[in-house]
Amino acid sequence: MKLADARKRARELRKTIDEHNHRYYVLNQPIITDFEFDLLLNELQALEKKFPQLVTPDSPTMRVGSDLTAEFLQSEHSWPMLSLGNTYSIEEVTEFGARVSRTLGYEPQYVCELKYDGVSISLTYENGLLVRAVTRGDGTVGDDVTVNVRTIRSIPVRVSGTGIPASFAVRGEIYLPRKGFEEMNAARQALGEPLFANPRNAAAGTLKLLDPRMVASRPLDCFLYYLLGKELPADNHYDNIMAARSWGFRTPDIIQLCGGMDEVISFLRLWEDERKRLPYDTDGVVIKVNSLAAQGILGVTAKSPRWAIAFKYAAEQAVTRLLSVDFQVGRTGNVTPVANLEPVLLAGTTVKRASLHNSDQIELLGLHYGDSVTVEKGGEIIPKIVGVDTFSRLPGSEAVIFPQECPECGTPLVRNEGEANHYCPDYLHCPPQITGRIIHFVSRKAMDIDGLGEETVELLYRSGLVRNMADLYYLKHEQLASLDRLGDKSASNILAELNSSLSAPWHRKLFALGIRHVGETVARVLASGFTDIDALMKATDEELTDLPEIGPRISASVREYFADPDNIETISRLRAAGMRFGGAIQRAASGGPLEGKRVVISGTFKNFTRDQLKEAVEAAGGKISSSVSGNTSFIIAGSDMGPAKRAKATDLGVPLVSEDEFLKMVEE
Ligand code: IVH
């Protein structure tokens, strides 16, 4: 390659890498995989090595990515926060070992830990107290996120034990367990908010929230894997980690002291598959020289220590064919492209569909129908298309083009400035938006109409019986019973459930309306701030934002909702059907005696209606389930509890509790 060409390519690479860095560290919205990113960085590194005159002081090879944001105070790290050299090949790990042995003159002990896929954090403790938590930032200066980090339960605000230095730093990775991530995305989906691509982005996004109460509501966790200070308890990494563990830190649970490189390689092989069974994401193994003295001899480069290396497992991939693309319209009108693939086996499951994210992603890939594509399952639950084989493309195949009109109702799509998604603005007439709102309305955490599933709602809509959530309350028995798949009995059940839902708590009704950004928690806050919907409708911006957790975004959305005459009409028809929007709200959804318990109510009772019991369970922090499963904590059993339920409870070992026993539980 000629110097002029190299200069041109280096410039392109720097621009691309900077863009991806920004997407990854600042926006938390990467559009390429770590592997692809590393390929770009490696190419640039190789060019700069060959033509050193091309190295610029601000080249991305010279620094680690920056996650600095404007809203947090900045704080300088006492020791720079370096990153790690990384590799995907076992040979390179062996070469790393050979280099280390050559420098030291002997083969040292190594420590292997998993490489957690989260956000790195540096915690400073003084006299046993957590005084500061700072993100990596640019490696020298990071964001002070102490208030947010204090909400993470596994991070001690005070440590105790022997050998604790007066002042020290401990570094680690904040992450979101997979289950917490899935629950969080499900809640966001119900709210029509954009989903996080993977747990790492969700953790990063959460850590940078400006309201620590929001942070506290998300199940962040943390592993601490690096102790720094002037008077450390031991002269080696492994013992320092064990000391840190004894002081109360959550340190890597999978950690192995290895006698040499052979043991390191066995660890890499063992954990390649084992790690998939862990409840959190890992993307490799970090290999560290154990002795601190040896670490000192090996030293550091500008970017990373010479005494450690990260080995990354390549995400599992498979090659298949793109058959077609669906453009799905969600409850809030967001249009999501989903690829239909020729079924292919990937990481133990058959993959038929893959997410394409948005129009930018389609364009970036340059997809054509019939293309041979590479799918990958990384940290994500849904596989994604990461590459296209353009050489094997059949002549005349058509490019995949993002529609300009809503595939469901034909309305021209809108893309807001700065947003990646297209959406259909005609929420009043676009069918999936209508049914989506009704499905949300009847869902378990909203009005909880058990007999009305997604399919039944769609059936009701298609048959012209329901155009709006209020229509549900005007349905006649014969209309329901005459529908396909519904009989007399289901029709009566549905009507009974609809009828009893009229007395559901006020905050649930508010949540059920499906106001943008008003999730369960926000609905509770609003319902306790305003005794009824008339007060809420009249609320000013100031009155709204005076409430905890309500910022300008939610306030604007609430006001916009009530400014729309169609919404007002829906509410007045619901009221005419007997729904009252108001009432006192029981606080203490958390910390109550039934916190974390799942309760089933079955049969009829002497002193209470089922709804009253339901409210009592919820007020005590418990959750109501409609059917008995292994997760059920207990059943409140009335006089005529069905024999099938009773048998199932015995089978699963779920205890039965009488009305009186239950009262004692909640009184306690
Ligand atoms: S040690 C100077 N140990 O990976 C070495 N890092 O690509 C300090 N990471 O910046 C890092 N798991 O954010 C270390 N067990 C582990 C790790 C780990 C994840 C992250 C960390 C680091 C990045 C480097």
Side-chain angles (χ1 to χ4, degrees), residues 82 295-296 298-307:
L82 301 174
Q295 288 183 4
L298 290 158
V300 296
T301 69
K303 218 184 127 200
S304 52
R306 289 201 194 86
W307 47 264

Side-chain angles (χ1 to χ4, degrees), residues 380-568:
E380 289 79 16
I381 289 111
I382 309 159
K384 58 184 175 193
I385 297 184
V386 295
V388 180
D389 178 8
T390 46
F391 294 107
S392 69
R393 179 173 293 157
L394 298 172
S397 68
E398 256 178 72
V400 176
I401 302 204
F402 202 91
Q404 302 202 322
E405 275 133 32
C406 175
E408 298 282 347
C409 71
T411 307
L413 296 177
V414 176
R415 177 178 178 167
N416 285 335
E417 179 86 19
E419 283 181 14
N421 284 357
H422 284 78
Y423 73 95
C424 166
D426 192 7
Y427 67 96
L428 276 182
H429 306 100
C430 180
Q433 298 194 57
I434 298 172
T435 51
R437 275 195 298 273
I438 302 173
I439 290 165
H440 169 75
F441 182 82
V442 300
S443 66
R444 203 165 59 80
K445 291 179 172 170
M447 301 310 284
D448 193 16
I449 313 294
D450 228 3
L452 281 180
E454 230 167 273
E455 281 179 26
T456 315
V457 168
E458 265 151 26
L459 193 63
L460 286 169
Y461 175 77
R462 262 184 280 122
S463 55
L465 290 175
V466 172
R467 295 269 133 189
N468 174 302
M469 49 191 82
D471 294 336
L472 292 172
Y473 293 89
Y474 295 88
L475 285 169
K476 301 267 176 317
H477 185 274
E478 36 323 335
Q479 290 177 317
L480 275 169
S482 67
L483 285 178
D484 263 5
R485 274 176 305 167
L486 286 187
D488 237 12
K489 187 152 179 267
S490 328
S492 307
N493 277 347
I494 292 174
L495 290 180
E497 291 217 20
L498 281 167
N499 192 40
S500 75
S501 77
L502 290 171
S503 59
W506 159 215
H507 62 92
R508 277 180 172 250
K509 290 173 179 155
L510 188 53
F511 172 58
L513 291 178
I515 305 172
R516 215 177 226 280
H517 306 310
V518 178
E520 267 182 290
T521 320
V522 171
R524 268 182 190 277
V525 174
L526 290 173
S528 54
F530 298 91
T531 49
D532 60 33
I533 206 163
D534 296 305
L536 182 60
M537 280 183 194
K538 283 192 273 216
T540 61
D541 242 338
E542 226 174 17
E543 286 168 322
L544 284 163
T545 49
D546 263 356
L547 292 173
E549 286 180 56
I550 312 294
R553 190 181 62 130
I554 298 175
S555 162
S557 164
V558 170
R559 284 158 46 84
E560 201 175 300
Y561 179 88
F562 289 119
D564 186 328
D566 287 290
N567 293 331
I568 300 298

Side-chain angles (χ1 to χ4, degrees), residues 82 84 113-116 120 136 173 225-226 286 288 305:
L82 301 174
L84 291 175
E113 293 158 16
L114 292 179
K115 186 171 182 320
Y116 305 103
S120 49
R136 180 213 296 280
E173 204 82 356
Y225 46 63
Y226 189 26
V286 180
K288 307 173 181 176

